[in-house]
């Protein structure tokens, strides 16, 4: 697995722990992995300051499943979404805690440059982090 941002890295590790293979933080070449799952992290959006020098907010993590067959992409994406929504949150990551995770629903994302089918969803992570 390639290095990623903290929250995306934790989500990628969670997917691997849940039995998913070929999880990356950057799209690999088709020759290296023909059917990857790629996670990418959005920016932290603060929703509240906390009394103990912390803050609570949201980090969106994109999860994109790539498969040779459309039905396989859909099935793998739905399985990944279900697994992450049912995962054992909270988990700690470098000075932060992913308190919970929800998703916006899986859907088709077209095809990639190699003609493989893409399905994806956004995992909406509630994150509590400590600042200065």
């Amino acid at each position: 697995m390639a290095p990623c941002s903290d929250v995306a890295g934790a989500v990628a590790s969670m997917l691997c722990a849940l039995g998913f293979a070929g999880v990356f933080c950057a799209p690999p070449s088709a020759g290296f992995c023909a059917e990857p799952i790629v996670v990418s992290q959005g920016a932290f959006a603060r929703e509240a300051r906390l009394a103990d020098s912390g803050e609570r907010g949201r980090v969106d993590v994109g999860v994109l499943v790539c498969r040779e067959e459309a039905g396989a992409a859909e099935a793998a994406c739905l399985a990944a979404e279900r697994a992450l929504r049912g995962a054992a949150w909270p988990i700690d990551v470098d000075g932060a805690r992913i308190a919970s995770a929800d998703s916006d629903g899986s859907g088709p994302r077209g095809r990639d440059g190699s003609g493989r089918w893409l399905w994806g969803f956004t995992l909406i992570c509630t994150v509590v982090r400590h600042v200065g």
Side-chain angles (χ1 to χ4, degrees):
M1 181 170 51
C4 2
S5 300
D6 294 342
V7 175
V11 171
S13 293
M14 180 71 76
L15 281 168
C16 290
L18 292 167
F20 292 87
V23 181
F24 298 88
C25 292
S29 72
F32 182 72
C33 181
E35 296 189 327
I37 297 173
V38 180
V39 297
S40 59
Q41 179 173 320
F44 177 81
R46 184 177 66 207
E47 296 172 347
R49 286 191 175 192
L50 306 175
D52 65 349
S53 299
E55 53 191 6
R56 184 183 70 244
R58 170 181 167 157
V59 175
D60 290 351
V61 175
V63 179
L64 190 65
V65 176
C66 179
R67 296 290 184 265
E68 295 289 337
E69 309 233 345
E74 178 181 11
C77 187
L78 291 170
E81 181 182 19
R82 214 173 12 257
L84 287 171
R85 287 182 65 153
W89 308 102
I91 60 171
D92 293 321
V93 290
D94 286 342
R97 172 177 280 248
I98 302 174
S100 64
D102 198 358
S103 63
D104 68 350
S106 296
R109 302 291 192 262
R111 289 181 157 198
D112 72 359
S114 299
R116 298 171 296 176
W117 293 93
L118 304 172
W119 267 68
F121 63 93
T122 300
L123 189 71
I124 303 157
C125 299
T126 300
V127 176
V128 177
R129 66 181 193 166
H130 301 287
V131 293

